[in-house]
């Protein structure tokens, strides 16, 4: 994967003789104040009664501040 100038691009691939192939693509922007990232997951498994699948999502995050200090014990 690559992260440069706040831009994230990643491709992950998995292959199994019994479980088929999975591909995960991640792309978006990341920074100290938040992120906006799209994730797509594609699976191909001829042996599965469910068949192939595609799942997509977008995650947007925003920094809300520092965590409070832990209480002394």
């Amino acid at each position: 994967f690559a992260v440069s100038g706040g831009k994230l691009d990643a491709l992950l691939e998995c292959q199994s003789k019994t479980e088929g192939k999975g591909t995960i693509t991640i792309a978006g922007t990341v920074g100290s104040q938040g992120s906006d990232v799209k994730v797509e997951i594609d699976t191909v498994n001829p042996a599965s009664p469910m068949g192939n699948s595609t799942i997509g999502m977008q995650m947007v995050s925003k920094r809300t501040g520092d965590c409070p200090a832990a209480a002394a014990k």
Side-chain angles (χ1 to χ4, degrees):
F1 67 91
V3 179
S4 178
K7 185 176 177 184
L8 167 66
D9 285 303
L11 175 66
L12 300 94
E13 295 181 320
C14 302
Q15 181 75 42
S16 167
K17 290 180 182 179
T18 58
E19 301 300 322
K21 180 179 180 181
T23 303
I24 302 171
T25 305
I26 305 169
T29 56
V30 294
S32 62
Q33 298 303 308
S35 63
D36 185 351
V37 179
K38 290 183 180 181
V39 180
E40 187 169 295
I41 304 167
D42 292 304
T43 63
V44 177
N45 184 355
S48 172
M50 300 288 291
N52 303 338
S53 67
T54 299
I55 301 169
M57 67 180 138
Q58 181 172 3
M59 298 179 290
V60 177
S61 68
K62 177 182 171 186
R63 185 176 191 276
T64 59
D66 294 334
C67 294
K73 292 184 178 185

